[in-house]
Amino acid sequence: MTLDDARPKSAPCDVVTSRGDGRVYKRKGSSRYWIQYSVRGCQYREPGAKTPAAARKKLRQRLREAGTERFGGPAAERVTVDQLADALLVHMKNQGRASVDKIRCHLKPVRAFFAGRPAMDVTTAALERYQRERLDAKRAPATVNREAHALRRAFNAAAHQTPPLFPKHLVPYFPSLPVDNIRSGFFERAEVEALLQHIADDGIRDFIAWGFRTGMRKGEIARLTWDMLDRSGTPWVLRIPAAITKNRAGRTLGLEGDVRAIIERRLRVRRFDCPLIFHRECKGKPGQAITDFWDVWRNALQAAGLPAGRLFHDLRKSAVRTLIRAGVDETTAMKVSGHKTRSMLLRYNIVTERETADALLRADAYLSTQPTQSENEKGQLRDIHADGAAKSLTDQRGIGSSGRIRTYNPPVNSRMLYP
């Protein structure tokens, strides 16, 4: 019996049945017809239309879609991009992720582009149109990638819920733009010293010096408190809890040398109404947290004659490179800076032209100790000198073990046929 067959006489006047291909029915007290069908053992019910013919048409369309991979059901079709983004932010807040604010910022242009649209409309083609629009708006490829990756995290988080907020098999492929992201911004010691001379606030000056020496992230330095410092032994120990680190991995840092001198300076100006180690005077109020000092940083760069594109994060890269050049093993260097993966550390350790030149000089020194002739060539020369320079070196013929006639050079191959 097909959907186009007439309604059986035994059926109630408000129900239209169709065996084998789902059914169209009318709920009690409802003015619309509903459709019901099964796909892979799951039963679905959803509103159809106001007339039986229109409801049967929608049911046939649903059954056709059920045979494709893009079928997700009515619940998945109602999920919007905004709902996925909201669910991701709630999940990250519950997990205590430090990157919640960054993800929220990356999702803003995504929400604007897919405003009010269902998540089913996010296809690879739609993502590429989004990338093109953002690139035309003069956004860097790395920025566009971070925005698309934030949306991908939202889809994956929704697919891993129980029950899934969005079907996993419908998560689209997210293309990435090629990025030439070479870490080129580094500070030398003389540049940092020149920079510090043009910063009047002692708190910000120590803040920058600490970043150059330890390679810690800006957010971690800003949240260091005195209760993390242990001065009971030698060396002093700074215990950095996992709650303030980006990768949620706590670590300890032994303080000696210049970093200890920085802490001793901070002790002399310690304020008991402020738990922070590094603080500043802002708008006439001392003991304020050091969060955003872009204007101070930019003016100091200009006064010191340094490139305007230098960032505070370049201090972190410079500290890691200094540790590697000083011969510190990679594991220890990662513990100091707080890196969790070795790949990030290697991207900071850029080899300069002077280092490559030194490497080539060392290679020349090694090659100078090697012989210029091989042992076979030396043996051939000894045979030639033994037979005399005037002896003819013309080819002669001999019979080998296989019976074939071989051409040989007596001075060179004399040991082969004439022992």
Side-chain angles (χ1 to χ4, degrees):
M1 197 172 195
T2 64
L3 289 172
D4 296 326
D5 291 339
R7 174 170 53 88
K9 295 181 179 179
S10 59
C13 60
D14 59 341
V15 177
V16 180
T17 62
S18 180
R19 286 189 175 184
D21 291 330
R23 72 189 185 108
V24 177
Y25 66 98
K26 195 173 184 181
R27 288 182 174 180
K28 185 177 181 179
S30 175
S31 61
R32 298 177 64 89
Y33 286 88
W34 287 64
I35 61 176
Q36 176 182 322
Y37 54 94
S38 297
V39 179
R40 305 183 188 96
C42 296
Q43 192 176 81
Y44 298 95
R45 294 185 180 93
E46 59 178 297
K50 292 185 177 181
T51 63
R56 286 195 293 269
K57 182 178 181 181
K58 184 173 182 179
L59 178 57
R60 286 193 295 267
Q61 179 184 354
R62 283 300 193 191
L63 293 175
R64 285 194 299 268
E65 294 174 353
T68 65
E69 296 182 354
R70 293 296 301 174
F71 178 78
E77 292 178 354
R78 290 192 295 268
V79 177
T80 64
V81 175
D82 288 330
Q83 288 178 305
L84 297 183
D86 293 338
L88 174 64
L89 294 177
V90 170
H91 171 71
M92 296 183 67
K93 286 181 179 178
N94 293 340
Q95 297 295 320
R97 300 294 178 86
S99 57
V100 175
D101 293 336
K102 289 185 178 180
I103 294 298
R104 182 184 292 106
C105 181
H106 295 331
L107 287 173
K108 283 183 179 180
V110 175
R111 288 176 183 262
F113 186 85
F114 295 102
R117 296 173 61 180
M120 296 283 290
D121 289 350
V122 182
T123 60
T124 301
L127 290 168
E128 290 183 343
R129 288 195 298 270
Y130 170 78
Q131 291 175 337
R132 184 68 265 163
E133 181 177 299
R134 296 293 287 166
L135 291 175
D136 293 341
K138 306 302 181 182
R139 296 298 184 269
T143 301
V144 180
N145 282 343
R146 283 191 287 268
E147 295 167 356
H149 294 169
L151 181 59
R152 181 177 62 185
R153 291 184 63 176
F155 270 95
N156 291 334
H160 284 86
Q161 291 185 13
T162 306
L165 180 61
F166 191 80
K168 186 176 181 180
H169 70 280
L170 294 181
V171 176
Y173 166 74
F174 286 78
S176 294
L177 298 173
V179 177
D180 186 11
N181 193 19
I182 299 177
R183 308 301 192 187
S184 58
F186 288 92
F187 279 97
E188 300 295 341
R189 179 177 179 180
E191 294 176 335
V192 175
E193 295 294 339
L195 181 69
L196 296 177
Q197 292 178 4
H198 296 89
I199 296 178
D201 191 287
D202 293 337
I204 298 179
R205 188 162 53 245
D206 288 338
F207 191 97
I208 295 174
W210 182 271
F212 178 67
R213 293 294 183 178
T214 64
M216 290 177 60
R217 298 179 178 89
K218 181 181 177 182
E220 294 177 355
I221 305 174
R223 287 185 282 181
L224 293 178
T225 58
W226 290 113
D227 58 358
M228 303 176 189
L229 179 64
D230 182 5
R231 294 185 290 166
S232 60
T234 302
W236 290 357
V237 177
L238 185 65
R239 307 185 188 281
I240 307 172
I244 71 170
T245 61
K246 179 181 178 181
N247 51 29
R248 291 298 183 260
R251 64 186 189 276
T252 58
L253 186 64
L255 306 180
E256 288 289 358
D258 290 341
V259 292
R260 175 162 174 169
I262 295 174
I263 293 296
E264 290 175 348
R265 288 201 302 269
R266 301 313 302 163
L267 280 170
R268 289 193 291 268
V269 295
R270 179 178 180 179
R271 297 183 60 90
F272 291 97
D273 60 345
C274 179
L276 299 174
I277 295 178
F278 298 95
H279 50 81
R280 62 175 296 191
E281 181 178 347
C282 183
K283 297 181 180 179
K285 298 179 180 180
Q288 301 299 309
I290 300 176
T291 54
D292 183 18
F293 54 94
W294 172 245
D295 291 338
V296 176
W297 175 269
R298 180 180 54 189
N299 295 335
L301 286 175
Q302 183 178 1
L306 298 176
R310 294 285 180 88
L311 303 174
F312 183 89
H313 192 74
D314 295 335
L315 297 173
R316 174 172 170 81
K317 299 183 289 186
S318 303
V320 174
R321 188 180 67 171
T322 299
L323 290 169
I324 298 300
R325 288 180 175 180
V328 178
D329 63 279
E330 296 177 356
T331 303
T332 304
M334 292 170 64
K335 289 181 179 179
V336 173
S337 61
H339 281 95
K340 198 171 183 178
T341 59
R342 184 173 177 270
S343 59
M344 292 296 295
L345 184 145
L346 292 178
R347 287 168 61 182
Y348 293 156
N349 185 28
I350 295 180
V351 181
T352 63
E353 292 81 359
R354 182 64 265 170
E355 290 171 321
T356 55
D358 292 340
L360 294 175
L361 288 176
R362 288 194 296 270
D364 291 342
Y366 171 77
L367 291 175
S368 65
T369 63
Q370 304 299 308
T372 57
Q373 295 177 335
S374 64
E375 293 298 327
N376 292 336
E377 291 176 343
K378 291 181 179 180
Q380 294 174 5
L381 291 175
R382 284 196 298 268
D383 292 341
I384 292 174
H385 290 308
D387 292 340
K391 188 174 182 179
S392 174
L393 299 181
T394 56
D395 292 341
Q396 299 182 15
R397 296 182 179 272
I399 301 176
S401 59
S402 62
R404 297 179 179 178
I405 298 176
R406 291 183 175 179
T407 301
Y408 66 95
N409 192 320
V412 177
N413 301 323
S414 59
R415 295 184 180 88
M416 295 174 59
L417 300 179
Y418 299 95

